[in-house]
């Protein structure tokens, strides 16, 4: 029986049917099989006249007889081409018509869909209302039946107490299979709960994208929201709450969790939205403002772009009401030239020995003190008078109300006195002149008053408005008059402040104390600074851990014009920074970080602004400059800044001093490591090196120098820098000679017969050849002869022979200048 027996052969019917045939197939192991196939004939399509559209590639071109079909005339070809163009135009018109129809159909579908959705909503609302109405009716009916049942039970209870009880066990209903089914359902639910608890805490990407919780434990807030929704649903209220649209403040960069908090959205929803937008981030990662703006708009909130500088809006100065202002003590700054007796005057006022505590009797820091005069308190600032502390004096003038200018009667007006006058004028504060040392024999107060006229300071004795008082700090003369003048000036100023607001103050001095950490001397200008206040000062922030007054006692608070030492900073601020009290530590940290970043960007921008040509020119200039690197550590910030300014003024075009590092606090091992790498000495101003730093310095051979007076430090650095200067070359002229004749000598060349007219001629000296008082050659002598002998020198009035080294252009009447060079050591001015 063949394979084709009983089977119907597949084939193609119609005009295109092929011829049937058999094909024998061979397989492995000698097996064969006959297959019935059909051979399909190729179908030839003959186009009917005008029926088929000619293809683009096969259509003949007009006027090209070589590609024209056979038997086609020109007229027939033109007719066909016209028909083709008409067909194309018709096709384009049909396409436009179809597009319009499709657009109309789409609009019609959209309209029908909107109508159907509206009808569905109405139907749902109607069904919901009907269902709610039916539920209300059923509930009322049940309540009525329950009332009737309770009433009937209460009426039948006294007469027939046993009616409700079963009469016999036979009357009890038979237990059904329902409890068993309930038990099976409970077992299945418990099993599912165990499975969910086993998989709890595992969150997959699919669950995060689809919003599934994955069996994770809900928070208390989520459970409360769920219970609230269930309660509202049971009461028949609206389950879906209205969306609350918020204005979200968006900085340049924001953390995902902070973004969710500002939108009042769940963090999981925000992370899910970011993942759907292709960003695989966690809640602790930071995203840029553009991405955050897309997420905020996706959640339906409004974006409010803010800049980084907006963090300082919390410390914007506010105007105080007139009723809240109260009198405050005046702040008096004592200024003047060095050694004119500023601290001695203040010492006499305070009845304390402040000068004895300063190294060399010179004030190195800004001191702040309070004294009482007639029941009123006065705050004094004692600023250093040395030129290195100019910036410190400037800060003192900017926080003061009255300036007391101390001028020595035996020394009159000096350079630092003029600087103090300029600072007072720049700060626009009144000035009181205290003419000190009137007990000295050489004292001349009138000369002081006259010298002050040159600087536009006209005292009352010279018919001016500036008060002047003659005092003697050692004798105590005139101090009462000085205090009265200060009190009078303070009454005229009517100084007021609001003590019932957040404190604002200025840092007078800052230092790093070994036992107490960073300590800042702050003069409170407005408000009251209390223990526990959170503040920001410059690039640092902190919480007031302790307040110490000028007497060294701890206080709980400090009002306006009260100087106190503040403990609790996270770093040492700059002298002159402003202290502001804020509400939270987060605000203080954010403001400090912004200021630190702004300062860093400013320094980077200053460096980046330098062009390539400027860098190359600077590098070329630096090749000719010898640098002396040093490291400076001081006890307070103001001293370190003053030393840096003094170091910048040392040097010239050949030598300069570069401060590699300056800081506040003891000299540490890291300072020694930096000094070793750069080969720089370490200078300590009122500080010492710790034990490990001393041992390392001894092992590495690093020099550590200690100073307590700034004069000595500046002088030593200047002397060391002077040693780097190259010696100056000084020329000493020792004689002149005139050429009388010129001779040619074999083996020597031209020899000048000379007469020494002045001084002496030496062979070891340098010579210049002058012709018509013009230098035409400078060099050395090859030979110096007296008659035929080689001599070392020839005295004035004697004749000799001279020959120049590698130079023969000599003529009679030329003048030879003889000189010697001498090296002279130079010093920096």
């Amino acid at each position: 029986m063949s394979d084709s027996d009983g089977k119907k052969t597949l084939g193609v019917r119609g005009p295109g049917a092929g011829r049937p045939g058999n094909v024998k197939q061979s397989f492995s192991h000698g097996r064969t099989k006959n297959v019935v196939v059909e051979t399909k004939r190729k179908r030839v399509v003959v186009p009917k006249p005008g029926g088929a559209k000619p293809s683009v590639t096969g259509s003949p071109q007009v006027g090209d007889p070589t590609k024209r079909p056979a038997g086609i005339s020109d007229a027939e070809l033109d007719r066909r081409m016209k028909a083709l163009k008409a067909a194309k135009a018709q096709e384009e018109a049909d396409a436009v018509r179809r597009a319009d129809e499709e657009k109309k159909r789409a609009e019609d579908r959209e309209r029908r869909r909107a109508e159907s959705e509206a009808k569905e909503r109405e139907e749902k609302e109607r069904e919901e209302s009907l269902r709610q109405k039916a539920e209300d009716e059923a509930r009322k009916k049940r309540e009525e039946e329950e009332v009737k049942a309770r009433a009937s039970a209460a009426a039948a209870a006294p007469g027939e107490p046993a009616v409700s009880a079963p009469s016999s066990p036979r009357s009890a209903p038979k237990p059904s299979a329902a409890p068993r089914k309930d038990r099976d359902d409970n077992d299945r639910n418990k099993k599912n709960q165990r499975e969910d608890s086993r998989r709890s805490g595992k969150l997959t990407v699919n669950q995060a994208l689809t919003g599934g919780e994955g069996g994770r434990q809900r928070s208390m807030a989520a459970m409360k929201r769920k219970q609230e929704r269930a309660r509202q649903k049971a009461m028949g209220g609206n389950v879906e709450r209205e969306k609350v649209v918020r204005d979200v403040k968006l900085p340049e960069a924001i953390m995902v969790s902070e973004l969710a908090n500002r939108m009042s959205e769940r963090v999981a929803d925000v992370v899910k939205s970011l993942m759907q937008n292709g960003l695989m981030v966690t809640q602790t990662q930071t995203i840029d403002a553009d991405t955050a703006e897309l997420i905020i708009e996706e959640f339906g909130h409004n974006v409010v772009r803010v800049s980084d500088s907006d963090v300082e809006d919390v410390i914007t100065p506010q105007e105080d009401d007139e009723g809240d202002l109260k009198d405050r003590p005046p702040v008096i700054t004592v200024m003047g030239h060095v050694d004119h007796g500023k601290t001695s005057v203040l010492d006499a006022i305070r009845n304390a020995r402040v000068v004895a505590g300063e190294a060399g009797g010179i004030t190195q820091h800004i001191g702040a003190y309070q004294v009482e005069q007639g029941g009123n308190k006065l705050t004094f600032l004692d600023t250093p008078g040395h030129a290195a502390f100019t910036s410190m004096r400037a800060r003192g003038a900017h926080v003061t109300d009255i300036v007391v200018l101390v001028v020595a009667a035996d020394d009159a007006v000096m350079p630092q006195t003029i600087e103090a006058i300029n600072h007072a004028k720049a700060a626009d504060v009144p000035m009181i002149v205290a003419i000190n040392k009137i007990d000295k024999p050489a004292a001349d107060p009138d000369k002081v008053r006259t010298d002050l006229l040159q600087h536009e300071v006209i005292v009352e004795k010279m018919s001016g408005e500036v008060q002047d008082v003659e005092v003697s700090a050692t004798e105590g003369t005139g101090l009462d008059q000085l205090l009265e003048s200060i009190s009078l000036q303070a009454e005229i100023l009517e100084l007021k402040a609001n003590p019932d607001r957040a404190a604002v103050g200025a840092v007078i001095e800052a230092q790093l104390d070994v036992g107490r950490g960073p300590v800042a001397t702050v003069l409170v200008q407005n408000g009251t600074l209390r223990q526990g206040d959170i503040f920001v000062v410059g690039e640092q922030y902190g919480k007031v851990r302790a307040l110490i007054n000028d007497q060294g006692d701890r206080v709980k608070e400090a009002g306006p014009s009260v100087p106190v030492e503040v403990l609790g900073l996270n770093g040492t601020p700059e002298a002159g920074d402003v202290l502001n009290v804020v509400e939270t530590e987060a605000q203080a940290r954010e403001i400090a970080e912004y200021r630190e970043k702004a300062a860093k960007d400013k320094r980077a921008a200053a460096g980046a602004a330098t062009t390539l040509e400027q860098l190359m020119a600077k590098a070329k200039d630096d090749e000719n400059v010898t640098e002396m690197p040093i490291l400076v550590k001081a006890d307070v910030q103001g001293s370190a800044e003053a030393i840096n300014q003094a170091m910048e003024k040392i040097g010239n075009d050949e030598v300069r001093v570069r401060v590699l590092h300056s800081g506040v606090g003891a000299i540490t091992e890291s300072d020694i490591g930096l000094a070793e790498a750069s080969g720089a000495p370490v200078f300590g101003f009122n500080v010492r090196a710790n034990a490990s730093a001393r041992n390392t310095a001894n092992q590495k051979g690093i020099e550590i120098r200690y100073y307590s007076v700034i004069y000595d430090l500046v002088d030593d650095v200047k002397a060391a820098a002077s040693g780097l200067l190259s010696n100056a070359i000084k020329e000493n002229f020792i004689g002149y000679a005139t050429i009388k004749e010129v001779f040619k000598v074999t083996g020597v060349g031209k020899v000048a017969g000379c007469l020494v007219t002045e001084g002496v001629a030496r062979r070891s000296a340098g010579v210049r050849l002058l012709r018509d008082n013009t230098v035409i050659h400078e060099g050395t002598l090859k030979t110096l002869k007296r008659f035929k002998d080689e001599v070392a020198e020839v005295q004035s009035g004697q004749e000799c022979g001279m020959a120049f080294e590698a130079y023969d252009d000599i003529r009679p009447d030329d003048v030879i200048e003889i000189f010697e060079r001498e090296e002279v050591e130079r010093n920096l001015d």
Side-chain angles (χ1 to χ4, degrees), residues 67 284 307 383:
K67 296 184 179 181
T284 58
S307 61
T383 60

Side-chain angles (χ1 to χ4, degrees), residues 738-742 750 752-754 769-772 776 804 807-816:
T738 303
I739 299 177
K740 298 298 184 181
E741 294 289 339
V742 178
K750 290 185 178 181
C754 305
L769 183 63
L770 307 180
R771 184 175 299 163
D772 296 331
I776 61 175
F804 292 93
Y807 189 78
D808 287 341
D809 185 16
I810 53 178
R811 301 177 186 176
D813 297 331
D814 288 349
V815 178
I816 299 174

Side-chain angles (χ1 to χ4, degrees), residues 275-532:
M275 287 183 176
Q276 289 175 346
N277 283 278
L279 290 176
M280 296 299 175
V281 296
T282 62
Q283 63 177 355
T284 58
Q285 288 181 325
T286 303
I287 58 176
D288 60 281
D290 296 334
T291 304
E293 184 174 357
L294 294 176
I295 300 301
I296 293 172
E297 292 177 351
E298 186 175 335
F299 278 89
H301 299 290
N302 299 326
V303 180
V304 180
R305 285 289 190 109
V306 296
S307 61
D308 293 340
S309 60
D310 292 341
V311 299
E312 295 198 11
D313 291 344
V314 296
I315 57 175
T316 303
Q318 55 184 358
E319 295 294 334
D320 296 316
D321 296 334
E322 291 293 335
D324 298 334
L325 297 179
K326 298 179 182 178
D327 294 336
R328 66 172 178 87
V331 180
I332 303 101
T333 301
V334 183
M335 290 185 173
H337 190 70
V338 61
D339 201 27
H340 274 204
K342 301 180 298 299
T343 309
S344 299
V345 172
L346 185 58
D347 178 25
I349 294 174
R350 297 178 61 228
N351 293 324
R353 299 300 300 168
V354 180
V355 175
E358 295 286 354
I362 304 163
T363 303
Q364 310 285 340
H365 315 115
I366 294 182
Y369 318 100
Q370 266 198 333
V371 299
E372 287 194 9
Q373 167 65 18
N376 299 323
K377 289 187 176 182
L378 305 176
T379 301
F380 282 90
L381 297 182
D382 181 20
T383 60
H386 187 260
F389 294 90
T390 301
S391 60
M392 296 171 66
R393 275 203 315 278
R395 294 194 185 102
H398 283 300
V399 298
T400 190
D401 301 315
I402 302 171
V403 169
V404 174
L405 181 64
V406 177
V407 186
D410 60 343
D411 206 8
V413 177
M414 300 301 288
Q416 277 75 49
T417 310
I418 301 173
E419 290 183 8
I421 294 172
N422 295 333
H423 289 321
K425 289 182 178 180
D428 194 18
V429 293
M431 187 187 310
I432 298 174
V433 178
I435 305 175
N436 193 23
K437 301 183 181 180
I438 59 170
D439 56 320
K440 292 290 187 69
D444 188 359
D446 292 335
K447 183 178 185 301
V448 174
R449 297 184 179 95
T450 306
D451 291 347
L452 290 174
L453 291 174
Q454 302 175 5
H455 306 286
E456 299 178 0
V457 178
I458 307 173
V459 298
E460 291 180 343
K461 195 171 182 180
M462 307 291 288
S463 302
E465 297 180 355
V466 179
Q467 301 183 64
D468 63 312
V469 183
E470 297 181 3
V471 298
S472 173
T474 56
E475 301 293 335
T477 308
L479 295 179
D480 294 336
Q481 291 86 346
L482 178 61
L483 293 176
E484 289 177 2
S485 300
I486 294 173
S487 301
L488 177 61
Q489 187 66 55
E491 290 179 5
I492 296 174
L493 294 176
E494 296 182 355
L495 303 172
K496 294 181 181 295
N498 181 13
D500 301 325
R501 55 164 291 178
V504 177
V507 176
I508 302 300
E509 191 53 83
Q511 61 182 344
L512 183 63
D513 197 299
V514 177
R516 300 184 297 173
V519 180
T521 302
V522 177
L523 177 67
V524 181
Q525 295 174 297
N526 205 352
T528 302
L529 184 63
R530 296 178 175 85
Q531 187 173 346

Side-chain angles (χ1 to χ4, degrees), residues 656-733:
R656 66 183 174 198
V657 177
R658 184 160 69 98
V659 180
L660 292 178
H661 172 68
S662 67
V664 177
I667 300 172
T668 61
E669 194 171 356
S670 61
D671 299 328
I672 302 301
L674 179 59
E676 179 191 5
S678 57
V682 181
F683 295 90
F685 185 76
N686 285 336
V687 295
R688 292 295 183 268
N690 54 32
S692 60
R694 286 196 301 270
N695 295 334
T696 305
N698 293 332
Q699 293 174 2
K700 305 296 184 180
I702 304 300
E703 183 182 10
I704 302 178
R705 292 195 175 190
Y706 301 114
Y707 296 91
S708 58
V709 178
I710 195 173
Y711 299 138
D712 301 335
L713 190 151
V714 174
D715 292 342
D716 285 358
V717 172
K718 188 179 294 185
S722 299
L724 299 177
L725 288 173
S726 59
N727 292 333
I729 305 300
K730 182 179 179 182
E731 291 185 355
N732 296 323
F733 299 99

Side-chain angles (χ1 to χ4, degrees), residues 37-204:
V37 299
E38 289 184 356
T39 303
K40 184 178 178 181
R41 293 194 300 270
K42 185 178 181 181
R43 183 176 182 182
V44 180
V45 181
V46 180
K48 296 180 181 181
K53 295 181 181 179
S55 62
V56 178
T57 57
S59 61
Q61 297 180 0
V62 178
D64 190 358
T66 59
K67 296 184 179 181
R68 182 184 307 172
I72 300 298
S73 61
D74 294 339
E76 180 67 17
L77 184 61
D78 293 337
R79 186 178 61 80
R80 289 187 179 185
M81 295 305 297
K82 290 179 181 179
L84 180 61
K85 291 180 180 178
K88 287 184 178 180
Q90 184 64 28
E91 184 178 357
E92 293 176 356
D94 292 343
V96 173
R97 180 176 52 78
R98 284 196 299 272
D100 295 338
E101 291 175 355
E102 183 65 26
K103 185 177 180 181
K104 291 180 181 178
R105 283 196 295 271
E107 294 175 353
D108 192 21
R109 284 197 301 269
E110 186 68 23
R111 180 178 54 78
R112 288 198 300 270
R113 185 173 63 82
E115 291 176 354
S116 64
E117 289 179 353
K119 289 180 180 179
E120 288 177 359
R121 284 196 300 271
E122 293 175 358
E123 186 67 21
K124 286 182 180 180
E125 292 175 356
R126 187 175 62 82
E127 291 177 356
E128 182 69 21
S129 62
L130 292 175
R131 183 181 62 80
Q132 185 68 28
K133 186 177 180 180
E135 289 178 355
D136 294 340
E137 292 177 355
R139 186 171 61 254
K140 291 179 181 179
K141 189 174 181 181
R142 284 196 305 271
E143 291 175 354
E144 291 174 359
E145 290 176 355
E146 289 175 358
V147 170
K148 291 179 180 179
R150 284 195 296 270
S152 61
E160 299 178 4
V163 172
S164 60
S167 59
S168 65
R170 188 177 299 173
S171 64
K174 296 181 179 180
S176 62
R180 180 178 300 173
K181 183 178 180 181
D182 294 339
R183 286 196 298 272
D184 294 340
D185 293 339
N186 292 334
D187 294 340
R188 191 178 299 106
N189 293 334
K190 291 180 180 178
K191 184 178 180 180
N192 293 335
Q193 290 176 0
R194 287 196 300 269
E195 183 69 19
D196 292 342
S197 64
R198 186 175 64 83
R199 296 181 58 84
S200 65
K202 297 179 181 179
L203 178 63
T204 63

